[in-house]
Amino acid sequence: GVSVHCQMMSEAIELLVTHIRSTVVSSRRKAKHAELDPPSSTHIAEVFSTLAKILEDGGVPPSSVNGRYCKTSQDRAALRRSAAINLLRLCDSGLKLEDTYLTSKMWHVLSNVLLDKEASVRDSVAEELSFMLSGIGKYRHGGVGS
């Protein structure tokens, strides 16, 4: 199975992306009365960059360039799946973040996940993309959904 360390990284990625999504949507809906300020543009850019870097490096987290964590193919596949799905979630059209933060290189890296060597990664990302294109799940109402 997937190591506890990589499970924790995947959950941290999801939490970070959910926070960005919810605060961006909240700040746009409530405008001047938003309870939480969205993260800075620098922070959002770093999240986009980090997720793309995880994909580019084959599922090795930036904190593990020496290979200390996520050594198994299952760990790396789980991290690629998490990074790709959450990068797609940041590209939700209701958030309008991708035009500013997703470079053409990042689009290329993200699209390569649809050719991942692990079928489970390909399938999960293709399913997330279909949710995005259909506007269901987390993509309902142009923002954070169920």
Side-chain angles (χ1 to χ4, degrees), residues 21 88-96 132 138-139 143:
R21 288 170 49 86
L88 279 174
R89 288 177 182 170
L90 287 174
C91 294
D92 184 338
S93 64
L95 300 174
K96 300 183 185 344
M132 175 193 255
K138 293 189 181 294
Y139 302 97

Side-chain angles (χ1 to χ4, degrees), residues 9 12 23 26 33 67 79-80 88 107 110-112 120 124-125:
M9 278 192 261
T23 55
S26 175
H33 305 293
L79 209 50
R80 287 192 310 274
L88 279 174
W107 268 119
L110 182 58
S111 70
N112 278 334
S120 64
S124 295
V125 173

Side-chain angles (χ1 to χ4, degrees), residues 44-83:
I44 294 171
E46 288 173 357
V47 171
F48 269 84
S49 178
T50 300
L51 295 177
K53 183 75 173 141
I54 289 169
L55 295 174
E56 196 172 18
D57 291 344
V60 178
S63 62
S64 182
V65 266
N66 62 1
R68 198 170 95 195
Y69 303 113
C70 297
K71 291 181 181 181
T72 69
S73 61
Q74 288 176 318
D75 283 350
R76 290 189 304 272
L79 209 50
R80 287 192 310 274
R81 181 174 36 256
S82 178

Side-chain angles (χ1 to χ4, degrees), residues 105-119:
K105 180 180 178 184
M106 289 178 191
W107 268 119
H108 182 73
V109 168
L110 182 58
S111 70
N112 278 334
V113 179
L114 293 170
L115 304 171
D116 197 277
K117 60 185 170 192
E118 291 288 330

